[in-house]
Amino acid sequence: MNVIEKLEVLADAAKYDVACTSSGVQRSGKKGQLGAAHQAGCCHSFTPDGRCVTLLKVLMTNACVYDCAYCVNRASNAAVPRTAFTPRELADLTIGFYRRNYIEGLFLSSGVAGCPDRTTELMVQALRILREEYGFRGYIHTKTIPGTSLELIDELGRLSDRLSVNLELPSKQSLGLLAPNKSRHSILTPMRHIFESAAEDKESRALAQRRTTVYREKRMARKTRAFAPAGQSTQMIIGATPESDYQILNLSAALYTQLSLKRVFFSAYLPVVADPLLPATDAVQLNREHRLYQADWLLRYYGFNVSEIIDEENPFLAPDVDPKANWALNHLDFFPVEVNTAPLEALLRVPGIGVRGARLILRARRQSTLGEAELRRLGIAYKRARYFITMNGAYGGSGIDFSRDALHARLSAPIEGGRHGRRADRAVQGQMSLFEAVDAPPVLPEASPANRAALDVAFEAQRRALAQPAAVGAPARAGESERPPILGTDTPPAECEGASQEGAPHGNAVCEPLLSVA
């Protein structure tokens, strides 16, 4: 294949990775070098689900020795054409697109070509050409392959702005069943190393910059790049396995508190390959994904705990109201809140008042007493907030019964799909608008009986598989063929170090989380 043909294959294969919506790094241009990184990023095109794309998102290779059941690039899928970029091809392609103003950065992932270390070496070579030969200062987000040696992660972290290791599945049992080549240890070890290396790098740089004398010191030139200055993130597939929202949010909270992740991304399961252990339905759980993002936002910015959002007795988020409104309906004794005197923490609990709106209220009420007109001018979602606030003693929801049922009827509404993206059923199955679009397949509603039946069948098959020991010489999956050739390496997979050989777990089918809140 030529470079453009490779790009068509590898850019399309990367569309299932959820990219960051903003870079998290502010870095201006520099004379003699190319590019700049901005926290807000730029928006050139969109992914099929409506997310804004700021980066060239490609795989280094889609030839993979791993056989993850949910992945279109799995080793047993013979229908996928296999190819790989050389490090020079990828670097030249990125610079060419940057000079044409198509992109401002790179999102690089890869299949496992032979073993994690060999694949990471190819990625490091490509990034080194970009950073050192071309002097590229743009944003680079790199997916770290589970099982990669810590020395190579150190090199990758010095060349990237953000690193991420995908959890993919929320429990140890599901991971072992659907991704037998990966393990809890191979995923959490690089995540902990990235966390510790970033913290150590930040501390050492702070100590180096601390002045130890009253005399003016000459600032020393920085010899090495900061280690992953934009931190790390991860991604979980939602709906491929029976784990509840309660388990998923507890795992997310543990990642935030113990490993200081910048973001946990949720990706609704999309069937791309046939497998008896996976739901065979075109209904994508976008509404559930949306509710999880709303709950995740409450954890990160609104001061909520997981136990306040969801509990073990009701392990799934309410589909008809957002998590913040659901908490308010369950704690009506906390309301109404007086907007002219309430502290910031209380204002953040009011549905319809966000973080920015709460801070604007604190600032505005120093000058005057706030009423309906003033709140509307501040951009508050007054139609929702009025049921939970008073304004100088006057209740905003007068005429409405202050009860859970009455307020629930006012707040419950279907999720608005927007005007673009796969939720609006107007997007095509493609990564970026670099090539001709194709027609999108019809999307079934999430709550349809056919979708529920497909989920029940798949989850029952997973439970049976977990309850039985892994059979030696088990029959191949549907469509399975011989392992595709490994591009860019002559090392047989069995001789590569770092490749996990753990099989699927068996026995007790209770889902054990990958990480628990301390």
Side-chain angles (χ1 to χ4, degrees), residues 42 61 148 187 206 212 235 269 273 287 365 395 410 420 463 470 490 493 498 502 513:
C42 68
T61 177
T148 302
I187 293 174
T212 57
Q235 171 182 319
Y269 168 68
V273 285
N287 289 352
R365 72 189 188 188
Y395 177 55
R410 295 279 178 171
H420 59 263
R463 294 187 188 98
D490 297 326
E502 291 191 14

Short mmCIF file of all heavy atoms in Angstrom, two decimals, residues 42 61 148 187 206 212 235 269 273 287 365 395 410 420 463 470 490 493 498 502 513:
data_model
loop_
_atom_site.label_atom_id
_atom_site.label_comp_id
_atom_site.label_asym_id
_atom_site.label_seq_id
_atom_site.Cartn_x
_atom_site.Cartn_y
_atom_site.Cartn_z
N CYS A 42 -8.41 23.11 18.56
CA CYS A 42 -9.17 23.65 17.45
C CYS A 42 -10.08 22.55 16.92
O CYS A 42 -9.83 21.38 17.14
CB CYS A 42 -8.24 24.16 16.34
SG CYS A 42 -7.35 22.85 15.50
N THR A 61 -0.14 0.51 13.53
CA THR A 61 -0.45 -0.68 12.74
C THR A 61 -1.74 -1.28 13.25
O THR A 61 -2.09 -1.13 14.42
CB THR A 61 0.68 -1.72 12.83
OG1 THR A 61 0.30 -2.89 12.09
CG2 THR A 61 0.95 -2.13 14.27
N THR A 148 3.88 -2.95 28.28
CA THR A 148 5.11 -2.31 27.82
C THR A 148 6.08 -2.13 28.97
O THR A 148 5.68 -1.84 30.10
CB THR A 148 4.78 -0.94 27.20
OG1 THR A 148 3.86 -1.12 26.12
CG2 THR A 148 6.03 -0.27 26.68
N ILE A 187 -2.20 -3.76 32.90
CA ILE A 187 -2.82 -2.46 32.69
C ILE A 187 -2.49 -1.48 33.81
O ILE A 187 -2.11 -0.32 33.57
CB ILE A 187 -4.35 -2.63 32.56
CG1 ILE A 187 -4.69 -3.38 31.27
CG2 ILE A 187 -5.06 -1.28 32.58
CD1 ILE A 187 -6.17 -3.72 31.12
N ALA A 206 10.13 21.60 40.23
CA ALA A 206 9.83 22.65 41.20
C ALA A 206 11.04 22.93 42.10
O ALA A 206 11.35 24.08 42.41
CB ALA A 206 8.62 22.26 42.04
N THR A 212 17.71 29.59 45.78
CA THR A 212 18.43 29.31 47.03
C THR A 212 19.36 30.45 47.43
O THR A 212 20.11 30.32 48.39
CB THR A 212 19.25 28.01 46.89
OG1 THR A 212 20.15 28.15 45.78
CG2 THR A 212 18.33 26.83 46.65
N GLN A 235 -10.01 4.73 28.98
CA GLN A 235 -11.30 4.53 28.32
C GLN A 235 -11.90 3.21 28.77
O GLN A 235 -11.20 2.22 28.95
CB GLN A 235 -11.12 4.53 26.80
CG GLN A 235 -12.37 4.13 26.02
CD GLN A 235 -12.13 4.10 24.52
OE1 GLN A 235 -11.46 4.95 23.97
NE2 GLN A 235 -12.68 3.10 23.86
N TYR A 269 -20.72 0.53 23.77
CA TYR A 269 -20.31 -0.61 22.94
C TYR A 269 -20.98 -0.56 21.58
O TYR A 269 -22.21 -0.43 21.46
CB TYR A 269 -20.64 -1.93 23.65
CG TYR A 269 -20.51 -3.13 22.74
CD1 TYR A 269 -19.27 -3.54 22.27
CD2 TYR A 269 -21.64 -3.83 22.31
CE1 TYR A 269 -19.14 -4.62 21.42
CE2 TYR A 269 -21.53 -4.91 21.46
CZ TYR A 269 -20.28 -5.30 21.02
OH TYR A 269 -20.16 -6.37 20.17
N VAL A 273 -17.67 -6.73 15.32
CA VAL A 273 -17.35 -8.10 14.91
C VAL A 273 -18.34 -9.05 15.59
O VAL A 273 -18.82 -8.76 16.69
CB VAL A 273 -15.90 -8.49 15.30
CG1 VAL A 273 -14.90 -7.84 14.39
CG2 VAL A 273 -15.60 -8.14 16.75
N ASN A 287 -27.53 6.84 25.51
CA ASN A 287 -28.13 7.54 26.65
C ASN A 287 -27.44 7.14 27.96
O ASN A 287 -27.22 7.98 28.82
CB ASN A 287 -29.62 7.24 26.73
CG ASN A 287 -30.39 7.92 25.62
OD1 ASN A 287 -29.82 8.72 24.88
ND2 ASN A 287 -31.66 7.59 25.48
N ARG A 365 -24.07 38.93 43.41
CA ARG A 365 -24.88 39.29 44.57
C ARG A 365 -24.15 40.24 45.53
O ARG A 365 -24.76 40.74 46.48
CB ARG A 365 -25.33 38.03 45.30
CG ARG A 365 -24.26 37.28 46.05
CD ARG A 365 -24.79 35.94 46.53
NE ARG A 365 -23.85 35.28 47.43
CZ ARG A 365 -23.98 34.04 47.88
NH1 ARG A 365 -25.04 33.32 47.50
NH2 ARG A 365 -23.10 33.51 48.71
N TYR A 395 -40.25 32.08 46.43
CA TYR A 395 -40.01 30.77 45.83
C TYR A 395 -40.18 30.85 44.32
O TYR A 395 -41.17 31.38 43.82
CB TYR A 395 -40.96 29.74 46.43
CG TYR A 395 -40.84 28.36 45.83
CD1 TYR A 395 -39.62 27.69 45.79
CD2 TYR A 395 -41.96 27.71 45.31
CE1 TYR A 395 -39.51 26.42 45.25
CE2 TYR A 395 -41.87 26.44 44.76
CZ TYR A 395 -40.64 25.80 44.74
OH TYR A 395 -40.53 24.54 44.19
N ARG A 410 -41.77 17.39 35.96
CA ARG A 410 -41.27 18.61 35.32
C ARG A 410 -39.85 18.45 34.79
O ARG A 410 -39.47 19.07 33.78
CB ARG A 410 -41.30 19.77 36.33
CG ARG A 410 -42.68 20.17 36.78
CD ARG A 410 -43.34 21.07 35.78
NE ARG A 410 -44.70 21.42 36.17
CZ ARG A 410 -45.43 22.33 35.55
NH1 ARG A 410 -44.91 22.97 34.52
NH2 ARG A 410 -46.66 22.58 35.94
N HIS A 420 -26.13 17.10 15.15
CA HIS A 420 -25.14 16.34 14.41
C HIS A 420 -24.70 15.17 15.26
O HIS A 420 -25.07 15.06 16.42
CB HIS A 420 -23.93 17.23 14.06
CG HIS A 420 -23.26 17.81 15.26
ND1 HIS A 420 -23.53 19.08 15.71
CD2 HIS A 420 -22.35 17.28 16.12
CE1 HIS A 420 -22.80 19.32 16.80
NE2 HIS A 420 -22.09 18.26 17.07
N ARG A 463 -21.71 -15.36 31.55
CA ARG A 463 -21.77 -16.01 32.87
C ARG A 463 -21.44 -17.49 32.78
O ARG A 463 -20.75 -18.03 33.65
CB ARG A 463 -23.17 -15.80 33.47
CG ARG A 463 -23.50 -14.34 33.79
CD ARG A 463 -24.83 -14.23 34.52
NE ARG A 463 -25.20 -12.83 34.65
CZ ARG A 463 -26.06 -12.20 33.85
NH1 ARG A 463 -26.62 -12.87 32.85
NH2 ARG A 463 -26.36 -10.93 34.05
N ALA A 470 -11.56 -22.78 31.54
CA ALA A 470 -11.23 -22.56 30.13
C ALA A 470 -10.85 -23.88 29.49
O ALA A 470 -9.97 -24.60 29.96
CB ALA A 470 -10.08 -21.56 30.00
N ASP A 490 10.27 -9.32 12.99
CA ASP A 490 10.50 -10.72 12.64
C ASP A 490 10.45 -11.61 13.87
O ASP A 490 10.71 -12.80 13.80
CB ASP A 490 11.87 -10.88 11.97
CG ASP A 490 11.93 -10.12 10.65
OD1 ASP A 490 10.89 -10.04 9.98
OD2 ASP A 490 13.01 -9.60 10.33
N PRO A 493 5.58 -14.04 18.21
CA PRO A 493 4.91 -13.55 19.40
C PRO A 493 5.30 -14.28 20.67
O PRO A 493 5.40 -13.68 21.72
CB PRO A 493 3.41 -13.77 19.07
CG PRO A 493 3.35 -13.80 17.57
CD PRO A 493 4.66 -14.37 17.12
N GLY A 498 6.87 -9.42 27.72
CA GLY A 498 5.81 -8.48 28.08
C GLY A 498 4.43 -8.87 27.58
O GLY A 498 3.45 -8.25 27.94
N GLU A 502 -2.20 -14.75 30.24
CA GLU A 502 -3.23 -15.16 31.17
C GLU A 502 -4.48 -15.58 30.41
O GLU A 502 -4.91 -14.92 29.48
CB GLU A 502 -3.58 -14.02 32.14
CG GLU A 502 -2.45 -13.72 33.11
CD GLU A 502 -2.91 -12.79 34.21
OE1 GLU A 502 -4.13 -12.62 34.36
OE2 GLU A 502 -2.06 -12.26 34.92
N PRO A 513 -13.64 -5.64 40.78
CA PRO A 513 -13.17 -4.41 40.14
C PRO A 513 -11.67 -4.43 39.94
O PRO A 513 -10.92 -5.05 40.71
CB PRO A 513 -13.60 -3.31 41.12
CG PRO A 513 -13.71 -4.01 42.45
CD PRO A 513 -14.17 -5.40 42.14
#
